[in-house]
Amino acid sequence: MRGRTRAALAGWVGAVLWAVGGTATPAGAQILPDAPRMLGPYTSSGLGVHWLRAGALPEDGDAVLVTWSPESTTRRIRLRGGAGRGAGGTVAGLGGIDVVAPLGTNPSSPVRLAWTAGAGVSVGEWALVTIPAGISAGFAWQSGSVWLAPWVAAGAALDLRLGEEAPGDEFDAGVAAEVGVELSLERSRRVLVRAAASLGDRQAVAVGLVVHTGPG
């Protein structure tokens, strides 16, 4: 099982690097690789496909974002990759890795906390390397077959801009905030709807489906 997981991880990383490398030609668009992060305390593992609308950088726009969290990692690691178009009709690619771990909370409290960290890169007309970290809080509610898990998150992100066309300072640090929710209408929760919005300077919206890929 561990061997298959390592092989899958290696394959995902290779695919992301290939995709990002393939979009490294000049492009007018650029997309933050970490917005939104979609990491709540109850974030589901499995394969996710999302529509992403970015709005933090000039000329960024619609994108497709794919996430994958291996079942055997107990939802501690998640990989992301995708590509999108800016207002100029050109392409930017992104990829990254997220880590989430629970923080100690009162077992009787319905609210759970988790710390999050990660690293990401996007490549368009210029390259952007991002290292985010933060804390998320959320709860889960279930009634019959309906399961709902909203969350809020706050933290910071360090951006490194590379390339002659990169705007502004080479290094930049900012505050990151996010709200999100996961919803399932079946008891097994094999398919979920996930939606999240990044706020402030890193604004972006994502909506998609997550499919649980492990044993039933």
Side-chain angles (χ1 to χ4, degrees):
M1 181 67 179
R2 292 181 178 178
R4 290 197 298 270
T5 299
R6 285 195 295 267
L9 283 168
W12 175 274
V13 172
V16 168
L17 291 175
W18 177 87
V20 171
T23 58
T25 55
Q30 185 59 285
I31 302 172
L32 290 175
D34 67 317
R37 299 188 67 205
M38 299 182 289
L39 293 175
Y42 290 91
T43 297
S44 301
S45 55
L47 178 67
V49 179
H50 311 79
W51 166 80
L52 170 66
R53 177 66 179 181
L57 299 172
E59 295 192 64
D60 55 9
D62 295 333
V64 174
L65 175 65
V66 179
T67 61
W68 180 58
S69 179
E71 305 292 339
S72 60
T73 64
T74 320
R75 290 172 273 187
R76 302 285 180 119
I77 298 174
R78 189 171 68 192
L79 304 174
R80 59 170 58 213
R85 291 187 177 272
T90 49
V91 179
L94 66 93
I97 184 170
D98 297 310
V99 179
V100 57
L103 290 173
T105 55
N106 186 342
S108 62
S109 172
V111 177
R112 289 188 182 179
L113 300 176
W115 69 265
T116 65
V121 60
S122 62
V123 180
E125 187 173 39
W126 43 280
L128 176 64
V129 179
T130 298
I131 300 178
I135 294 177
S136 63
F139 68 91
W141 173 86
Q142 185 167 3
S143 177
S145 60
V146 178
W147 182 85
L148 186 72
W151 76 85
V152 296
L158 176 64
D159 295 325
L160 171 62
R161 299 181 177 93
L162 302 171
E164 294 182 358
E165 301 298 327
D169 298 331
E170 185 177 17
F171 288 97
D172 189 24
V175 175
E178 182 176 309
V179 295
V181 64
E182 287 191 355
L183 169 68
S184 178
L185 301 178
E186 55 177 3
R187 291 183 182 275
S188 63
R189 301 209 301 268
R190 294 196 65 87
V191 179
L192 304 97
V193 176
R194 177 187 289 157
S198 297
L199 310 175
D201 292 339
R202 310 185 77 80
Q203 58 183 297
V205 176
V207 180
L209 293 177
V210 182
V211 179
H212 182 77
T213 55

